[in-house]
Amino acid sequence: MQIAGLNTLGISIARIDYAPLGQNPPHTHPRATEILTVLEGTLYVGFVTSNQPAPNRNKFLSKMLNKGDVFVFPVGLIHFQFNPNPHQPAIAIAALSSQNPGAITIANAVFGSDPPISYDVLAKAFQVEKNTIDYLQAQFWENNHN
């Protein structure tokens, strides 16, 4: 929407600036594959495969990227980027194969939904006590700063 010439072409692009030790937390793009190019600094990136038959079920793939390196995140898979350097920022360009790729940040969607997902459902899904779910849901800014 910010670059009118790209509207309806089926692509989008974003510059991402990472603070020292900053991250783009685990998320997914339900409608796009992402290709990430590091312009400055270093990024630790990774994604988890889908629920395929064994032995590739939920396989975690990761890599340390340096300036000029490129990495592809397949459509719909949970992925992240993290700047491991405590002293220097990092910069990357992300190109996506849709003008409307969508973005679902996993923790926000699961623990910060409105209304909240039932404690019973989340406690059973994560196999933890209900007070752990309460603690995680309380960490979200939306829930703490109304």
Side-chain angles (χ1 to χ4, degrees):
M1 298 311 288
Q2 294 177 353
I3 304 174
L6 293 181
N7 193 21
T8 73
L9 292 180
I11 58 172
S12 55
I13 192 167
R15 174 183 161 144
I16 308 167
D17 292 82
Y18 304 85
L21 300 178
Q23 72 171 335
N24 189 359
H27 64 283
T28 182
H29 302 289
R31 295 179 293 278
T33 292
E34 177 179 344
I35 185 166
L36 184 86
T37 304
V38 177
L39 300 180
E40 296 291 336
T42 300
L43 290 175
Y44 173 60
V45 303
F47 69 88
V48 179
T49 64
S50 60
N51 294 334
Q52 304 171 23
N56 295 318
R57 182 173 298 135
N58 295 326
K59 186 173 182 178
F60 175 58
L61 303 167
S62 65
K63 186 167 184 166
M64 192 69 74
L65 303 180
N66 296 302
K67 183 177 180 177
D69 289 342
V70 176
F71 197 84
V72 174
F73 303 104
V75 62
L77 297 186
I78 296 172
H79 62 281
F80 68 90
Q81 302 98 37
F82 173 71
N83 176 5
N85 191 316
H87 307 291
Q88 297 294 320
I91 302 170
I93 293 288
L96 298 113
S97 64
S98 170
Q99 73 248 17
N100 184 18
I104 302 169
T105 303
I106 305 307
N108 290 351
V110 173
F111 297 109
S113 67
D114 182 19
I117 297 172
S118 161
Y119 291 110
D120 294 324
V121 170
L122 293 178
K124 184 169 181 129
F126 288 97
Q127 300 177 24
V128 298
E129 299 292 324
K130 290 182 182 178
N131 62 344
T132 302
I133 300 301
D134 186 40
Y135 171 79
L136 291 169
Q137 287 178 327
Q139 301 311 302
F140 290 87
W141 190 88
E142 295 85 1
N143 297 336
N144 286 327
H145 298 86
N146 288 333

